[in-house]
């Protein structure tokens, strides 16, 4: 039987988020958490830009696929974390995606 990958990503992220909160003693409101997640995503998107030769004024480098994948996964980490903090689970995210995709 194939594992529900989206559920598993959410489960792993929930576990990681709980460990970070406990180990670092972080206690923010939902609003502040979401703001922090957005800032983290922006930071990670910037790192992706660096990996894909955004700076046209510099000599382009060969794209390091491993680093590119790592940065994209970092965005996913923060995105899923933001969903969890907003009270959005994998089912709700999936259903909202399907509705939006049909537009």
């Amino acid at each position: 039987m194939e594992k529900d990958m989206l559920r598993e990503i959410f489960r792993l992220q929930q576990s990681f988020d709980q460990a970070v909160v406990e180990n670092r003693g972080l206690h923010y409101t939902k609003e502040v958490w979401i703001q922090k997640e957005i800032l983290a995503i922006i930071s990670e998107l910037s790192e992706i830009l660096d990996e894909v030769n955004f700076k046209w004024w510099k000599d382009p480098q060969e794209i390091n696929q491993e680093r590119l994948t790592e940065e994209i996964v970092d965005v996913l980490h923060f995105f899923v974390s933001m969903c969890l903090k907003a009270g959005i689970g994998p089912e709700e995210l999936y259903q909202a995606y399907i509705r939006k995709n049909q537009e």
Side-chain angles (χ1 to χ4, degrees):
M1 186 165 91
E2 189 174 321
K3 185 181 281 193
D4 182 332
M5 291 181 274
L6 184 58
R7 274 189 203 279
E8 181 66 3
I9 287 170
F10 270 73
R11 185 190 70 74
L12 291 168
Q13 189 64 47
Q14 178 69 39
S15 177
F16 180 78
D17 285 356
Q18 285 174 336
V20 169
V21 166
E22 290 170 11
N23 292 333
R24 301 203 184 268
L26 303 174
H27 303 286
Y28 302 118
T29 64
K30 180 193 290 192
E31 290 173 328
V32 171
W33 269 120
I34 292 172
Q35 291 168 10
K36 289 184 176 301
E37 302 290 356
I38 291 167
L39 289 170
I41 290 169
I42 290 169
S43 175
E44 295 301 336
L45 289 171
S46 176
E47 292 178 16
I48 293 170
L49 277 175
D50 288 341
E51 289 301 324
V52 296
N53 297 304
F54 159 70
K55 298 176 181 174
W56 65 88
W57 59 92
K58 290 189 171 189
D59 292 335
Q61 304 295 314
E62 185 174 334
I63 293 176
N64 181 320
Q65 187 63 38
E66 188 175 325
R67 277 200 310 255
L68 177 60
T69 301
E70 184 178 315
E71 299 304 343
I72 291 171
V73 169
D74 287 346
V75 170
L76 180 60
H77 272 282
F78 290 114
F79 173 76
V80 172
S81 184
M82 181 172 50
C83 287
L84 289 166
K85 298 214 177 42
I88 299 168
E91 297 268 332
E92 185 179 354
L93 179 65
Y94 175 77
Q95 292 301 324
Y97 177 87
I98 295 300
R99 281 192 308 272
K100 192 70 172 178
N101 189 263
Q102 291 173 347
E103 286 181 12

